[in-house]
Amino acid sequence: MSVVAVPDMRQIRRVLIIKLSALGDILHALPVSAALKEAYPHLEITWAVEEPFVALLEGNPYLTDLLVLPKLKLSKLKSAEYRRDYFGRLKRARAKNFDLAIDLQGLTKSAIVAVGSGARVRLGYHWLREAASLVERRLPQRPESVHIVDQYLDVAHYLGAEPKTVTFPFHISPEDQFAVDAMLREANLTPDTPFISINPASAQVIKQWSAAHYAELIDRLKREHGLPSVLVTADKAVAAQVTEATTETFFNLCGRTNLKQLAAVIKRSAVHVCGDTGSSPLAVALERPVVTLVGPTDPERIHPYRQRNNVLSHREFCGKKCDWHHCEFARPRCLDAITVDEVLAKALSLVS
């Protein structure tokens, strides 16, 4: 790999970080904004993000501005109105005269933003794919950077930003906190009442522990240990499956919270339990313990940052053709091998 020249950051003023989606990926990338701004306070940092995920960045003290874009779909590009909107936003962003674009997505859609920004220097983290590899300079991965957070931070390190601590800037407004406090009072969950927040859904079935197991976990937490559970998910179908299988009462907040309010619930909980999904890195950003149930995905790359011991995984049950987006079995055996006893014991060990 050829050596990429490091720009003189004293001469760089306006920086565009590009991480458009999704929830977990953006959360993993948050420390880059903190590392750059703390190392170079003069920087004006804008973050390019797709509309559904704006809330993750609102209130980030390290950012000067947000470049909010609609989700890019090739089918929508046939619409003149959509093209005017999308490229109009890029044109207005170009007027900011960016000195540097940092692509932490590494895809064609992020490369379009990098080029459209007009930044005179375009850099990307090590895993550039599709058109990104043609229009951006790839920065090397450090051998010790196994976790995705550290891989994103390789870009900051390469630019001379050496954070003493890894910071996940995430802001919850007083209004959202107040709304969540009111919701929890409905279930008599006062600020000094410990409870377990549980997200039973994942974007992919192969990353999702069974609803029956989550139901048994909820029942045993209440029946054997007197610990109430709060269900947090936007997936109504999965929430309904869990509800049907439980015998003990729990507080169901399915569909009642926005992203910031979801964060406020997790922040109030003693422990969060979930699969390989975005609420795991959200709990990390909020400095809450999280038990993460990992299926075929590499846990070394995506485990809750600084909480490797809180991962439960049985990849020894995976087949040779299994990977993070494909399972060769009707049900993911690696996830089904995780027992309720294991999850219960791990969660209880983290309740302070």
Side-chain angles (χ1 to χ4, degrees):
M1 180 183 296
S2 60
V3 177
V4 178
V6 181
D8 183 352
M9 294 303 290
R10 295 170 300 178
Q11 303 301 317
I12 298 292
R13 184 172 184 83
R14 297 177 183 87
V15 176
L16 178 65
I17 294 176
I18 306 167
K19 189 63 174 175
L20 301 167
S21 61
L23 193 153
D25 297 319
I26 292 172
L27 290 164
H28 283 142
L30 286 179
V32 176
S33 65
L36 289 175
K37 186 68 174 180
E38 288 176 355
Y40 307 109
H42 69 282
L43 293 180
E44 297 174 8
I45 304 176
T46 296
W47 192 301
V49 61
E50 290 176 348
E51 288 171 338
F53 307 105
V54 172
L56 297 173
L57 301 166
E58 290 175 337
N60 184 332
Y62 300 100
L63 300 179
T64 303
D65 200 4
L66 297 177
L67 168 55
V68 182
L69 296 165
K71 187 173 182 179
L72 182 60
K73 292 185 177 180
L74 294 180
S75 59
K76 287 190 174 182
L77 286 174
K78 298 176 182 178
S79 164
E81 181 179 356
Y82 178 86
R83 292 196 303 272
R84 280 194 300 271
D85 178 33
Y86 192 93
F87 293 106
R89 298 190 199 193
L90 279 182
K91 184 177 180 180
R92 289 190 292 274
R94 192 182 187 96
K96 291 181 178 290
N97 297 315
F98 289 108
D99 303 301
L100 171 64
I102 299 173
D103 185 358
L104 300 179
Q105 196 94 38
L107 298 172
T108 296
K109 69 176 183 178
S110 53
I112 290 173
V113 177
V115 173
S117 73
R120 54 189 176 86
V121 179
R122 299 189 298 270
L123 304 177
Y125 88 120
H126 74 95
W127 195 24
L128 295 183
R129 293 145 288 164
E130 303 173 355
S133 61
L134 303 176
V135 298
E136 299 165 1
R137 287 185 282 170
R138 185 193 313 268
L139 296 181
Q141 176 185 0
R142 295 181 301 164
E144 64 268 31
S145 297
V146 177
H147 196 282
I148 186 60
V149 169
D150 294 319
Q151 291 178 21
Y152 290 148
L153 280 171
D154 283 345
V155 175
H157 281 280
Y158 203 83
L159 295 173
E162 300 285 344
K164 293 180 181 179
T165 59
V166 177
T167 301
F168 292 84
F170 190 91
H171 174 71
I172 300 173
S173 71
E175 293 79 12
D176 285 319
Q177 185 64 63
F178 181 82
V180 164
D181 290 344
M183 291 179 200
L184 294 176
R185 281 198 297 271
E186 295 174 23
N188 295 317
L189 296 174
T190 61
D192 59 349
T193 304
F195 66 88
I196 310 298
S197 60
I198 296 177
N199 178 7
S202 295
Q204 296 173 279
V205 174
I206 64 170
K207 296 182 178 183
Q208 193 165 288
W209 206 39
S210 75
H213 282 153
Y214 277 114
E216 183 183 345
L217 176 65
I218 290 170
D219 287 343
R220 292 183 61 184
L221 282 167
K222 185 69 177 293
R223 185 171 59 245
E224 298 173 13
H225 304 280
L227 276 171
S229 298
V230 175
L231 204 68
V232 287
T233 177
D235 194 321
K236 294 182 180 180
V238 173
Q241 292 169 9
V242 174
T243 300
E244 185 177 357
T246 51
T247 57
E248 298 288 341
T249 59
F250 67 94
F251 192 39
N252 189 351
L253 285 178
C254 175
R256 292 184 59 184
T257 60
N258 59 33
L259 276 175
K260 294 287 191 176
Q261 292 165 355
L262 165 65
V265 175
I266 292 174
K267 189 173 183 178
R268 275 276 305 268
S269 64
V271 179
H272 183 57
V273 178
C274 64
D276 174 15
T277 190
S279 63
S280 175
L282 181 55
V284 169
L286 299 166
E287 300 183 340
R288 302 309 301 146
V290 51
V291 180
T292 305
L293 317 181
V294 177
T297 313
D298 180 6
E300 303 307 322
R301 186 174 187 271
I302 57 86
H303 68 261
Y305 197 66
R306 295 179 292 220
Q307 297 190 41
R308 177 62 180 87
N309 290 337
N310 294 343
V311 169
L312 296 176
S313 177
H314 287 296
R315 295 179 75 209
E316 67 270 20
F317 289 96
C318 289
K320 294 181 179 180
K321 298 179 181 179
C322 292
D323 57 34
W324 65 274
H325 65 281
H326 173 76
C327 179
E328 66 176 77
F329 307 110
R331 272 284 310 165
R333 296 181 180 181
C334 54
L335 272 176
D336 288 346
I338 299 174
T339 67
V340 175
D341 282 339
E342 286 180 277
V343 181
L344 184 65
K346 177 60 69 174
L348 291 173
S349 73
L350 296 171
V351 176
S352 57

